[in-house]
Amino acid sequence: MYDFEFERPATIADAVAALGDEDAQALGGGQTLIPTLKQRLAMPGKLVSLTAIREIRGVCEDDEGHLCIGGGTTHAVVAREAADRFPGLASLAARIGDPAVRNRGTIGGSLANNDPSACYPAAALAANATVVTDRRTIVADDYFQGMFTTALDDGEIIAEVRFPVPEASNYQKFIQPASRFALVGVFVAKFADGVRVAVTGASESGVFRWSKAEAALSRNFTPDALSGLTVPADGMIGDLHGSPEYRAHLIGVLTKRAVSAAT
Amino acid sequence: MTQVSMTVNGQSVSGEIEGRTLLVEFLREGLGLTGTHVGCDTSQCGACVVHIDGAPVKACSIFAAEADGAEVTTIEGMAAPDGTLSPVQQGFRDHHGLQCGFCTPGMVMTATALLKENPKPTVTEVREYLEGNICRCTGYHNIVKAVLAASGQEMPAVAAE
């Protein structure tokens, strides 16, 4: 890979300062970025590793009952420590990549990268999580802005992700058998004031909410409530793993399965 | 160049590295510990798995500088100093869990981590945990048998799926 400067600050403040340089890039767990650097698809002048910043690691609960996950928390830790409080989220984290990848990859890295087939964006959008950065808070509805695009500014660091905890939730992931990424993934979250459904892997615009299904499920939280509802294939991803029509069809199937598993 | 220090297989080591030096490069080329293999170099195959602070990690997808201060265990640290194999290594030997052997260091490190988390895994749990370790020779059946043997269990008498 290309040469670069490497820094490993121990505080958010030092990391933000290091990222102030033009051409600096934050490095989370590196499970996407390091392979990307090897392929020479990225060429930052400086890498700022976030792995030494203790204050952005760990899982806790705030006074309002939100599950607060530090941006530098690995998938393995979320799978373990969110299991009692938010099993739908823990189960999602436990299915990302493989055990070794889950020991490095972080929730902040996944959300900052916003890969259109990543799992975490579906949970964050379905639960309407709040992304807390070094400088502001951003609600999920405003955060995701298309494939690999988010509301984050250059050099902005995800310090924490704050999840409202649903009454019931489930994530269904239909894996692309070679990469094990989601060919389509659907996260359903039922709250006292309504149901939210977020879809990853399917759309050329990245993660999105299926509002028709949300309205139907908010009235009647059963798989039958989805009968007759379909997603148009327009704007869905088409590649050798599946056509736009196939992905659109899977959204309906997986949403029914998620509701069925959550009830 | 920067200085990095860590504990590898119980011994304190240090060396001069570049920012872009991968942990696996530091282990193999810096320390001469060539048991950790590089297969795909893209974090798919698992031949490079080592333990960092007790947890399995792909050494091709972490920079050496990120392991500064960590406790690293490689395949060279698995057998006892007198050469007695670890239970997982012995299982692989007894059950012919390898053919060419290239994937074996990573398989042993991942399987060892599994048994630490889950001392009596089912066949399905073994297969799922080894999802990130690819073997092109064995068809996996004897690897699963070896891991079960290391956990003190026998393979259920059913044909491989």
Side-chain angles (χ1 to χ4, degrees):
Chain A
M1 69 189 87
Y2 295 109
D3 198 8
F4 45 76
E5 271 183 72
F6 188 91
E7 286 193 34
R8 195 167 178 245
T11 65
I12 293 181
D14 287 349
V16 170
L19 285 166
D21 289 3
E22 200 184 333
D23 214 18
Q25 161 78 48
L27 172 69
Q31 301 304 284
T32 299
L33 183 53
I34 294 176
T36 305
L37 291 169
K38 290 180 185 178
Q39 291 174 305
R40 302 196 168 204
L41 294 172
M43 199 173 96
K46 184 205 267 186
L47 268 193
V48 180
S49 166
L50 307 181
T51 54
I53 308 175
R54 286 181 180 279
E55 60 191 303
I56 62 166
R57 286 208 298 260
V59 178
C60 66
E61 203 172 324
D62 72 7
D63 294 341
E64 285 135 50
H66 297 131
L67 191 71
C68 301
I69 302 177
T73 310
T74 63
H75 311 323
V77 169
V78 175
R80 247 186 345 256
E81 297 190 8
D84 292 340
R85 190 84 182 86
F86 192 166
L89 182 69
S91 159
L92 172 150
R95 285 179 278 162
I96 298 172
D98 59 55
V101 167
R102 292 195 286 273
N103 282 324
R104 293 295 300 168
T106 64
I107 186 169
S110 172
L111 292 177
N113 190 43
N114 193 20
D115 186 298
S117 298
C119 297
Y120 267 129
L125 188 59
N128 198 19
T130 298
V131 176
V132 182
T133 75
D134 58 89
R135 60 200 75 168
R136 59 182 168 151
T137 62
I138 312 166
V139 295
D141 280 327
D142 298 330
Y143 177 83
F144 298 103
Q145 300 188 344
M147 244 185 219
F148 297 110
T149 311
T150 70
L152 293 176
D153 292 329
D154 286 346
E156 190 169 5
I157 294 171
I158 298 179
E160 183 178 293
V161 188
R162 217 172 270 165
F163 285 89
V165 179
E167 292 170 358
S169 67
N170 188 261
Y171 178 60
Q172 292 289 319
K173 177 184 186 181
F174 192 94
I175 59 168
Q176 195 263 76
S179 73
R180 308 292 176 117
F181 266 81
L183 188 67
V184 174
V186 176
F187 200 103
V188 171
K190 180 182 185 292
F191 293 93
D193 60 352
V195 175
R196 289 170 64 108
V197 178
V199 181
T200 188
S203 169
E204 288 178 337
S205 310
V207 68
F208 71 96
R209 287 171 64 190
W210 185 15
S211 41
K212 274 190 190 167
E214 292 183 350
L217 291 168
S218 295
R219 286 191 298 272
N220 175 15
F221 194 65
T222 65
D224 290 343
L226 297 164
S227 296
L229 287 188
T230 54
V231 180
D234 289 353
M236 295 294 139
I237 298 169
D239 55 24
L240 80 167
H241 307 295
S243 63
E245 291 75 20
Y246 183 60
R247 281 186 166 85
H249 175 72
L250 277 180
I251 295 169
V253 173
L254 296 178
T255 307
K256 281 183 189 165
R257 286 185 190 170
V259 173
S260 175
T263 47
Chain B
M1 300 290 274
T2 50
Q3 184 79 14
V4 71
S5 303
M6 62 188 83
T7 306
V8 177
N9 300 330
Q11 293 192 344
S12 296
V13 299
S14 59
E16 290 274 304
I17 53 155
E18 287 188 295
R20 62 179 162 175
T21 304
L22 296 164
L23 178 61
V24 73
E25 294 169 341
F26 178 66
L27 294 171
R28 289 177 57 86
E29 292 156 31
L31 304 179
L33 295 172
T34 55
T36 302
H37 289 169
V38 180
C40 67
D41 201 27
T42 58
S43 86
Q44 310 286 319
C45 81
C48 65
V49 170
V50 300
H51 295 178
I52 297 184
D53 298 326
V57 162
K58 291 180 174 175
C60 78
S61 295
I62 169 173
F63 293 112
E66 294 182 282
D68 189 42
E71 297 256 355
V72 179
T73 307
T74 70
I75 188 69
E76 288 90 346
M78 296 312 286
D82 68 358
T84 306
L85 298 180
S86 76
V88 172
Q89 288 175 309
Q90 192 62 47
F92 273 71
R93 172 183 270 189
D94 294 345
H95 295 276
H96 197 51
L98 61 148
Q99 287 178 32
C100 87
F102 193 86
C103 73
T104 312
M107 287 286 178
V108 168
M109 299 311 289
T110 303
T112 302
L114 164 66
L115 296 186
K116 203 172 76 178
E117 275 178 38
N118 181 359
K120 298 282 180 198
T122 63
V123 170
T124 305
E125 287 168 341
V126 173
R127 288 183 182 275
E128 281 179 359
Y129 203 91
L130 293 174
E131 184 181 19
N133 291 75
I134 294 174
C135 172
R136 299 290 75 168
C137 303
T138 62
Y140 300 98
H141 201 57
N142 284 356
I143 291 176
V144 175
K145 217 186 266 183
V147 178
L148 286 178
S151 73
Q153 306 180 95
E154 279 182 28
M155 190 80 166
V158 291
E161 284 176 31

